[in-house]
Amino acid sequence: MKLKIALQKSGRLAEGSTEMLRKCGIGFSNGGGKLRTESEDFPLEIFFLRDDDIPDYVADGVADIGVVVENVLAENPKKVEIVEKLGFGRCRLSIAVPKVFEYGDVNDFAGRRIATSYPKILGEFLAKHKVTADIHQISGSVEIAPSIGLADAVCDLVSSGSTLFSNGLREVETVMNSEAVLISRMGLDGSVAELLAKLLFRIRSVQAASQNKYILLNAPKGNVPEISAVLPGMRSPTIVPLAEPGWVSVHSVISEHDFWDRVDSLKSAGAEGILVLSIEQMIR
Ligand code: PRT
Ligand code: ZN
């Protein structure tokens, strides 16, 4: 019995998907542009597909699970379950206008033509704001639509913003934020569900590790209560005596997102020689 996963064959999600599985201890080869392969480390059968086709394959049960992006699912909803956000492939779907467009708010799109590959998502956004615009669906090179007179604005995926900038466009509204998600077919059960649970446990451990850092520091013993208050750790910090009397080494896990604020508090609490290491896995 194997868990069947659908991954993007090549493109922006391919590397993130392979990397995620590798960190979960699941390696595989995709040499020679194969469309199907198996992992030697985990009962996993892998299909390589276009990202747009993955929700269908999962909904139809050809694959049990798959990696897709939220914008693809929202534009073309399928009967699948979103199991976990994966934190890569991040971008946003935004409306952008030529620099000369004097933009105030969404009402300025009333009666205007907006070019997009995401007519459904854009339509829902405009309806929510009670704005009626002319949605012009095109499948690619959306950013050039205003300069060739095809549209007054565009609604497209943005990551760094450099594509918009180099086409003389300015981002004015975020329609949705998107990232890669793991989806599964409905009603997964039995040993396949068990394999998914096992995989998910690994994915969550990898994600927890990437969101945390291991921190070591030295401090006078008397400062430990103040330092511990800044460093909750998984249970509580580990305190190890140093060779120098009256000094200890404090070890703990710290969240990446408020990391710098905590480091400042630690220094004020008397911490010295602070070392910060990345964590490979974090098993809870
Ligand atoms: O062949 P297949 O159908 O599998 O691939 P694809 O061509 O449909 O998709 P791919 O690999 O290009 O993108 C897959 C997903 O990656 C998208 O659906 C998004 O969710 C996500 N993603 C993340 C992006 C971007 N970042 C992104 N920057 N998708 C597209 N872009 C394009 C955007 O359309 C624009 O042309 O990059 C340009 C903007 O980039 P910046 O950095 O200049 O802002
Ligand atoms: Zn695609």
Side-chain angles (χ1 to χ4, degrees), residues 8 50-53 72:
Q8 188 189 33
R50 286 203 55 190
D51 68 340
D52 316 73
D53 297 334
V72 165

Side-chain angles (χ1 to χ4, degrees), residues 18-26 202 206 210 280-281:
T18 308
E19 175 77 0
M20 176 191 77
L21 290 174
R22 194 192 57 74
K23 286 184 177 163
C24 291
I26 304 174
R202 295 191 191 185
V206 168
S210 73
E280 274 283 312
Q281 312 283 353

Side-chain angles (χ1 to χ4, degrees), residues 14-262:
E15 194 185 306
S17 308
T18 308
E19 175 77 0
M20 176 191 77
L21 290 174
R22 194 192 57 74
K23 286 184 177 163
C24 291
I26 304 174
F28 55 86
S29 83
N30 180 24
K34 277 190 278 185
L35 298 180
R36 194 196 140 273
T37 191
E38 285 177 13
S39 169
E40 302 93 47
D41 319 306
F42 193 86
L44 193 70
E45 183 174 355
I46 303 146
F47 300 112
F48 299 103
L49 303 163
R50 286 203 55 190
D51 68 340
D52 316 73
D53 297 334
I54 292 174
D56 268 319
Y57 276 81
V58 173
D60 295 346
V62 177
D64 302 308
I65 58 173
V67 174
V68 288
V69 274
E70 291 171 299
N71 53 289
V72 165
L73 267 186
E75 183 62 29
N76 200 358
K78 296 286 169 195
K79 278 204 160 172
V80 294
E81 241 173 89
I82 296 183
V83 184
E84 188 75 18
K85 290 199 177 216
L86 299 175
F88 59 87
R90 282 210 172 99
C91 62
R92 54 198 185 273
L93 184 67
S94 291
I95 306 181
V97 296
K99 297 219 169 78
V100 292
F101 192 121
E102 283 176 24
Y103 184 77
D105 63 27
V106 273
N107 294 303
D108 294 341
F109 294 126
R112 302 291 196 132
R113 282 169 311 163
I114 310 176
T116 189
S117 307
Y118 294 89
K120 177 177 157 63
I121 303 174
L122 175 60
E124 286 167 1
F125 175 84
L126 293 172
K128 191 178 85 189
H129 289 92
K130 302 188 170 54
V131 172
T132 308
D134 177 8
I135 298 177
H136 194 94
Q137 183 177 358
I138 49 178
S139 60
S141 305
V142 173
E143 63 280 357
I144 63 165
S147 64
I148 59 172
L150 194 67
D152 304 303
V154 301
C155 174
D156 198 10
L157 298 173
V158 185
S159 163
S160 66
S162 65
T163 304
L164 292 181
F165 183 79
S166 59
N167 283 279
L169 299 169
R170 182 166 63 94
E171 193 176 349
V172 292
E173 293 289 340
T174 303
V175 175
M176 86 173 278
N177 288 300
S178 179
E179 67 180 85
V181 289
L182 188 72
I183 55 168
S184 86
R185 64 178 165 82
M186 308 299 284
L188 215 64
D189 57 10
S191 45
V192 174
E194 277 170 31
L195 285 175
L196 173 57
K198 212 167 155 183
L199 174 63
L200 257 183
F201 177 76
R202 295 191 191 185
I203 290 174
R204 287 176 182 152
S205 300
V206 168
Q207 283 187 333
S210 73
Q211 287 155 14
N212 290 280
K213 301 269 181 209
Y214 192 78
I215 185 164
L216 303 97
L217 57 90
N218 296 333
K221 209 171 170 185
N223 296 29
V224 167
E226 207 182 331
I227 286 173
S228 299
V230 186
L231 285 180
M234 277 166 85
R235 189 174 296 272
S236 64
T238 306
I239 315 282
V240 188
L242 292 188
E244 188 177 334
W247 279 76
V248 291
S249 169
V250 180
H251 302 196
S252 189
V253 170
I254 186 168
S255 155
E256 190 169 57
H257 101 110
D258 57 358
F259 170 74
W260 287 109
D261 288 340
R262 289 200 190 230

